[in-house]
Amino acid sequence: MVIVLLINFTQVVLFQIPSIPQDLKHSLATIFPVVGSLFITIQQKLAWQAKSSKAKKSTAVYSKLLKHIEHRIEIIEHGVVIDDVIELCNLSLLKEVEEVPAILVPY
């Protein structure tokens, strides 16, 4: 979106300069909006904002799962066989899995 704003700003500035020939101004008046529209279309087509937010959510979920797995491995390595701890770990894992974004859940 910043690129589109810069294109529009450049167009306004160029039209205020009297030394630019009128023919060039007419050409630029056609070219700049087309280029701006092109950038807007590309951004919408690729859905960068939506993909970015989904990736951030996925990263947070994987981070939580990594912490859970590391904690579970530590418990196993130390030979702890307490059912309550395992049940607690399982409940926490289920709670974290509920927060998984829809993109990661199989159909």
Side-chain angles (χ1 to χ4, degrees):
M1 207 58 163
V2 174
I3 295 173
V4 175
L5 293 174
L6 289 175
I7 290 171
N8 291 335
F9 178 75
T10 304
Q11 181 179 3
V12 169
V13 170
L14 288 177
F15 283 108
Q16 300 305 316
I17 300 172
S19 62
I20 296 178
Q22 197 65 24
D23 291 340
L24 181 59
K25 285 183 181 180
H26 286 300
S27 297
L28 293 176
T30 305
I31 294 170
F32 279 139
V34 170
V35 172
S37 298
L38 177 69
F39 278 108
I40 291 172
T41 303
I42 289 172
Q43 287 177 345
Q44 289 178 349
K45 182 71 175 173
L46 298 178
W48 288 333
Q49 188 67 26
K51 289 179 182 177
S52 171
S53 65
K54 286 181 183 179
K56 286 179 185 177
K57 288 179 184 177
S58 299
T59 302
V61 169
Y62 282 122
S63 175
K64 287 180 182 180
L65 289 174
L66 177 64
K67 288 179 186 176
H68 173 79
I69 290 170
E70 287 174 345
H71 182 67
R72 178 73 72 98
I73 289 173
E74 281 182 24
I75 290 174
I76 292 171
E77 285 176 348
H78 292 296
V80 178
V81 220
I82 303 173
D83 291 334
D84 294 337
V85 173
I86 294 173
E87 185 177 336
L88 177 66
C89 289
N90 287 336
L91 289 175
S92 67
L93 179 61
L94 289 174
K95 181 64 178 165
E96 290 173 0
V97 169
E98 289 175 1
E99 299 173 11
V100 173
I103 192 169
L104 297 177
V105 178
Y107 293 95

